[in-house]
């Protein structure tokens, strides 16, 4: 399911893309957005995973697959910094490490110096997926009629102004997103390789919380999500979130300061869910 070794940038890209696809599939499956026919089955150790596939009988899931493929394009080009899907709020943040570890050419083993071990990356990946599944099992149900969308935010200093990944267009209203209800932030986890960092956070209404573990919860949840300044610090007690500086276990890396270009796809109305 994941690369056995993550020692090259290409292997790291494959890992991040699979983590993204599995995570989005987990959310849509566990929240009952699409029928069983829209998913294939894979296993992560003893955990049964449902992975979105191209199901021509379900236009909604087919569109989501195209969105994910568009995200892959932006990831490969190292343009995308962050995206979220607003039903509840699922946020995925990506960073690209420019300082890669040096090869130890003196040793016969040809090991990377001060690099992240592949075993640690695999373990962190497994933990991220398990925590996401656990979270989905403990959240209350969504409304019957919901609209699903994704927004991609970019590193503007490297992204061409006219770039749009397949299936996306320029966001016509790139302002702040307002979150209705009483929001609660949930820290899911992060995975860091020598080339990429991926973080996942969920924001949902307090009444849907169920029996979610308290150590996942962040205080001072957002009611407004800013599209700019995502790598700034959060103000204590503030309800406006301008960053994703979460207390994850793996090493934080710094990225470009401005991320202003925003893309969005066509929105989907998900009526008659299973």
């Amino acid at each position: 399911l994941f690369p056995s070794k993550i020692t090259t940038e290409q292997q790291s890209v494959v890992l991040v893309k699979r983590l993204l696809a599995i995570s989005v599939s987990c959310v849509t499956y566990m929240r009952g957005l699409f029928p069983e026919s829209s998913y294939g089955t894979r296993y992560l150790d003893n955990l049964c995973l449902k992975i979105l596939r191209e199901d021509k009988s379900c236009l909604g899931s087919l569109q989501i697959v195209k969105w994910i493929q568009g995200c892959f394009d932006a990831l490969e080009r190292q343009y995308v910094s962050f995206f979220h899907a607003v039903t509840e709020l699922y946020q995925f943040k990506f960073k690209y490490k420019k300082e890669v570890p040096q090869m130890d050419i003196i040793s016969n083993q040809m090991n990377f110096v001060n690099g992240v071990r592949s075993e640690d990356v695999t373990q962190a990946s497994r933990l991220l997926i398990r925590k996401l599944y656990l979270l989905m099992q403990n959240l209350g149900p969504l409304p019957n009629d919901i609209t699903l969308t994704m927004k991609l935010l970019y590193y503007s200093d490297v992204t061409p102004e006219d770039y749009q990944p397949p299936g996306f267009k320029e966001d016509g209203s790139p302002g702040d997103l307002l979150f209705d209800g009483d929001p609660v932030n949930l820290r899911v986890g992060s995975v860091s390789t020598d080339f990429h960092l991926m973080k996942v956070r969920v924001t949902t209404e307090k009444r849907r919380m169920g029996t979610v573990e308290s150590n996942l919860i962040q205080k001072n949840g957002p009611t407004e999500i800013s599209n700019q300044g995502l790598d700034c610090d959060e103000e204590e007690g503030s309800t406006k979130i301008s960053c994703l500086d979460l207390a994850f276990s793996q090493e934080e890396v710094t990225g470009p300061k401005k991320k202003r270009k925003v893309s969005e796809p066509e929105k989907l109305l998900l009526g008659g869910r299973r």
Side-chain angles (χ1 to χ4, degrees), residues 82 89 91 93 184-187 199-203 216-226 228-248 252:
F82 172 81
L89 187 64
Q91 304 180 36
K93 184 177 183 181
V184 176
N185 284 329
L186 304 170
R187 299 176 298 178
K199 292 182 177 181
V200 182
R201 185 175 71 174
V202 177
T203 304
L216 293 178
I217 301 173
Q218 284 186 279
K219 296 181 180 180
N220 303 324
T223 56
E224 185 174 327
I225 311 299
S226 176
Q228 299 185 14
L230 294 175
D231 48 6
C232 299
D233 290 334
E234 294 182 13
E235 297 180 9
E236 183 177 356
S238 173
T239 59
K240 181 172 181 178
I241 298 301
S242 59
C243 81
L244 289 178
D245 186 15
L246 308 182
F248 293 122
E252 176 72 68

Side-chain angles (χ1 to χ4, degrees), residues 55-242:
D55 178 13
K56 295 183 178 179
S57 65
C58 180
L59 295 180
S61 63
L62 191 62
Q63 186 63 55
I64 294 295
V65 171
K66 291 181 179 179
W67 290 358
I68 294 173
Q69 292 171 344
C71 294
F72 287 172
D73 184 85
L75 273 170
E76 290 173 351
R77 298 172 187 267
Q78 297 191 359
Y79 292 163
V80 69
S81 67
F82 172 81
F83 89 77
H84 46 240
V86 182
T87 48
E88 291 160 320
L89 187 64
Y90 295 90
Q91 304 180 36
F92 299 81
K93 184 177 183 181
F94 307 96
K95 289 189 176 182
Y96 312 95
K97 300 182 182 181
K98 296 182 179 180
E99 296 296 329
V100 299
Q102 301 296 314
M103 185 72 78
D104 179 7
I105 59 176
I106 299 177
S107 169
N108 293 329
Q109 299 295 323
M110 293 293 284
N111 292 326
F112 282 99
V113 177
N114 297 325
V116 181
R117 296 196 316 154
S118 297
E119 295 85 354
D120 294 336
V121 175
T122 300
Q123 181 63 24
S125 301
R126 290 171 174 167
L127 180 60
L128 175 65
I129 298 304
R130 286 183 178 276
K131 289 177 68 175
L132 189 57
Y133 263 78
L134 179 63
L135 174 59
M136 294 299 101
Q137 290 171 348
N138 286 277
L139 290 181
L142 292 169
N144 289 329
D145 294 322
I146 59 175
T147 298
L148 176 63
T149 189
M150 292 183 183
K151 287 179 182 282
L152 302 185
L153 280 69
Y154 303 93
Y155 291 105
S156 296
D157 59 341
V158 296
T159 307
E161 186 62 31
D162 60 351
Y163 171 76
Q164 295 295 342
F168 286 80
K169 63 180 181 180
E170 183 177 357
D171 186 5
S173 55
D176 295 336
L177 298 170
L178 297 178
F179 192 96
D180 294 330
D182 187 7
V184 176
N185 284 329
L186 304 170
R187 299 176 298 178
V188 180
S190 71
V191 175
S192 179
T193 74
D194 288 323
F195 305 92
H196 299 86
L197 173 67
M198 173 178 168
K199 292 182 177 181
V200 182
R201 185 175 71 174
V202 177
T203 304
T204 189
E205 289 189 41
K206 187 175 182 179
R207 61 185 176 83
R208 295 194 192 125
M209 283 293 294
T211 58
V212 176
E213 295 182 23
S214 60
N215 63 352
L216 293 178
I217 301 173
Q218 284 186 279
K219 296 181 180 180
N220 303 324
T223 56
E224 185 174 327
I225 311 299
S226 176
N227 282 344
Q228 299 185 14
L230 294 175
D231 48 6
C232 299
D233 290 334
E234 294 182 13
E235 297 180 9
E236 183 177 356
S238 173
T239 59
K240 181 172 181 178
I241 298 301
S242 59

